Amino acid sequence: MKAIVYTEFGSADVLQLKEVGKPAPKDNEVLIRVHATPVSYGDLLARNFKNVSSSEFNMPLPLLPLSRMQFGFSKPKVNILGSEFAGEIEATGKDVRLYKAGDQVFGYLGPRMGAYAAYLCMPEDGLLSIKPASMSYVEAAAVPYGAIIAASLLRKGNIRKGHKVLINGASGGIGSAAVQLARYYGAEVTGVCSTPKLEYVKSLGAEHVIDYTREDFTQNGESYDLIFDILGRSSFSRCKNSLKQNGIYLLASFKMKALFQMLWTKIAGSKKVICALANENADDLFFIHELIEAGKYKSIIDKCFPLEQAAEAHRYVESGQKKGNVVLTLDHYHET
Ligand SMILES: NC(=O)c1ccc[n+]([C@@H]2O[C@H](COP(=O)([O-])OP(=O)(O)OC[C@H]3O[C@@H](n4cnc5c(N)ncnc54)[C@H](OP(=O)(O)O)[C@@H]3O)[C@@H](O)[C@H]2O)c1
C-alpha cells in the first residue's frame, strides 16, 4: 500500500512516498481504508524530534528523554506520521462486534501514529467512532485530536455556564476546539491569536478576540474565571491579576516552574494553577460526534493536499499561514 514514510529526522524533505506492506487486522481490530488525515502539531514535532531543543519542548524537561524513547533518539521509531483520520472499514477481526465492513469512521491514534497511509488497523475499542453523517471525510478527519484534548482539559478547568474564559492559542488544533466547546458549555469566550487568524477565531464562536501581536491580554483590565493557555506562552505571575477570585490558570503545555506553582496554589491562595494532561477516551469522541450532528461543532478546512504532497503540506503548515485545518487526502477519497 501507499504511505508517507520517514526514516531520518529533519525538514519536510524527509517525507517520502513509498510502497509498504498492507496491515492485517488482529482478532479485536478493524482494518480501515484511510480517506483523509490532517497535518497536526504532533506530526511536525515527531518529524523533527531529534532537533527539538529543550526550550522548544513544551513540557517538563524530565519528560524529554521519555519522549525521545517514544519517537527515537537518532532515527525515528515511528516511521509513518498521522495521529487522526477518517475512513471506511474494509475488514474486521473475528472478535469485532461494534463495527462492520463499510462503516464510515473517524478516530485518533495518538502518539503511535500511522495515518499517513492507505490503510491502518486499530482495536475496535480504541478512540474510534462512526463518522458524523453531516461531515465529509476531510472535515471529520481533522476533529478528533483537538476535540478530545480540549474536552478533557476544559473539564479539568472546571468550566461552567456563564464563566468568562480566555483561550491563549485559540487558532490552533486544541484552541479552535476549546473555543467551540467553551461556547457549547455556555461560557463567554475570548480567543487570543495573531492578526491574520482573528476572523477565523470569531467564526468559531469567540465573542471577543485579542491579537497577541498588538495587545497584552494581561494588561487590558479584564478578568476571567478561566485562562486556558495552550502553548504556555504566558505565565501565572503575569496572568494572576487577570483572574477572578477562585479563577483557574490552566496549562496544556508547562514547565517545572508551573508544576511547583500548581502545588503551591493547591494549599495557598484562591487562584489556582492547573497543569493538565488530557485523559484521552472514546466517550469524548462519541460526545463530539453528537455535537457535530446537532450542528454545535464544526471543522474548518483551510487546504487539502493529496497524500503524495505531504511534504508540501508540512511546509505550508510550518509557514504559519493556515486558518483552519490542512488535510491530506488519499485516492479512495477522490473515488467516492
Ligand atoms: N496537555 C496535554 O494533554 C496535551 C496534549 C496534546 C498537546 N499538548 C500541547 O499542546 C501544544 C500544541 O497545541 P496545538 O496542537 O493546538 O498547536 P498548534 O495547532 O500549533 O497551535 C498553536 C497555537 O498557538 C498560537 N500561538 C503561537 N504563539 C503564540 C503566542 N505568543 N501567544 C498566543 N498564542 C500563540 C498559534 O496562533 P497563531 O497561529 O495565531 O500565531 C497557534 O494557533 C503543544 O505544546 C503540546 O505539547 C498538550
Side-chain angles (χ1 to χ4, degrees):
M1 68 167 182
K2 203 158 65 170
I4 295 293
V5 174
Y6 77 119
T7 52
E8 303 283 339
F9 288 116
S11 72
D13 298 338
V14 299
L15 301 176
Q16 306 285 331
L17 182 70
K18 292 215 164 121
E19 280 295 319
V20 301
K22 185 175 168 182
K26 296 193 186 106
D27 292 349
N28 66 333
E29 287 185 340
V30 293
L31 172 69
I32 297 163
R33 197 183 312 146
V34 179
H35 284 247
T37 176
V39 177
S40 69
Y41 172 88
D43 295 327
L44 303 184
L45 187 79
R47 193 201 70 214
N48 197 22
F49 204 73
K50 187 175 116 185
N51 303 314
V52 170
S53 65
S54 47
S55 60
E56 284 163 334
F57 185 65
N58 284 341
M59 286 289 169
L61 270 194
L63 291 182
L64 186 54
L66 290 178
S67 300
R68 292 208 193 285
M69 275 166 73
Q70 181 159 33
F71 291 118
F73 285 87
S74 55
K75 296 263 181 199
K77 255 187 164 174
V78 172
N79 294 112
I80 301 178
L81 299 171
S83 59
E84 51 187 337
F85 64 86
E88 187 180 337
I89 294 191
E90 184 170 280
T92 57
K94 74 174 176 48
D95 296 337
V96 170
R97 297 284 170 269
L98 301 174
Y99 298 96
K100 59 181 186 323
D103 282 348
Q104 300 185 351
V105 292
F106 71 145
Y108 182 57
L109 297 161
R112 75 167 251 236
M113 301 191 156
Y116 285 16
Y119 293 88
L120 61 87
C121 286
M122 70 182 289
E124 65 164 342
D125 60 357
L127 293 167
L128 185 68
S129 167
I130 292 290
K131 175 179 84 61
S134 55
M135 273 193 182
S136 67
Y137 283 114
V138 163
E139 290 168 322
V143 169
Y145 157 71
I148 289 173
I149 307 282
S152 171
L153 296 184
L154 283 174
R155 276 198 301 273
K156 293 180 190 227
N158 199 25
I159 189 157
R160 290 283 177 272
K161 190 171 181 195
H163 272 183
K164 271 182 78 177
V165 174
L166 179 136
I167 295 162
N168 195 27
S171 57
I174 300 174
S176 59
V179 169
Q180 298 192 69
L181 290 172
R183 289 284 286 129
Y184 168 75
Y185 287 123
E188 180 185 330
V189 178
T190 300
V192 181
C193 57
S194 62
T195 321
K197 318 280 172 81
L198 294 170
E199 285 309 314
Y200 168 62
V201 171
K202 266 192 207 160
S203 76
L204 296 169
E207 281 104 330
H208 317 282
V209 283
I210 295 176
D211 178 348
Y212 68 77
T213 66
R214 299 199 173 144
E215 185 183 338
D216 178 350
F217 71 84
T218 64
Q219 302 298 315
N220 65 6
E222 294 289 332
S223 53
Y224 304 92
D225 298 283
L226 174 64
I227 295 178
F228 181 16
D229 192 333
I230 314 292
L231 288 187
R233 292 279 192 264
S234 61
S235 68
F236 182 52
S237 52
R238 273 178 30 230
C239 289
K240 213 169 168 185
N241 289 335
S242 305
L243 282 173
K244 292 187 181 180
Q245 281 293 8
N246 302 318
I248 291 178
Y249 178 60
L250 174 68
L251 290 161
S253 311
F254 46 87
K255 298 286 194 181
M256 289 305 288
K257 185 176 175 190
L259 279 174
F260 288 123
Q261 288 169 330
M262 177 163 81
L263 291 176
W264 176 244
T265 58
K266 241 185 182 163
I267 47 173
S270 69
K271 300 175 182 180
K272 306 291 177 199
V273 175
I274 297 183
C275 304
L277 291 177
N279 305 110
E280 297 157 2
N281 67 72
D283 286 345
D284 279 329
L285 197 57
F286 303 147
F287 161 63
I288 297 297
H289 178 282
E290 281 176 22
L291 289 195
I292 293 169
E293 294 294 39
K296 296 198 166 112
Y297 190 96
K298 57 189 171 188
S299 170
I300 295 179
I301 305 303
D302 177 312
K303 245 183 179 186
C304 287
F305 292 82
L307 181 74
E308 293 78 356
Q309 292 174 19
E312 204 170 307
H314 271 228
R315 283 185 210 105
Y316 179 65
V317 173
E318 280 173 321
S319 74
Q321 298 171 58
K322 78 175 173 85
K323 294 172 197 145
N325 298 291
V326 172
V327 180
L328 303 174
T329 57
L330 286 99
D331 294 343
H332 326 297
Y333 183 67
H334 305 288
E335 285 158 13
T336 52

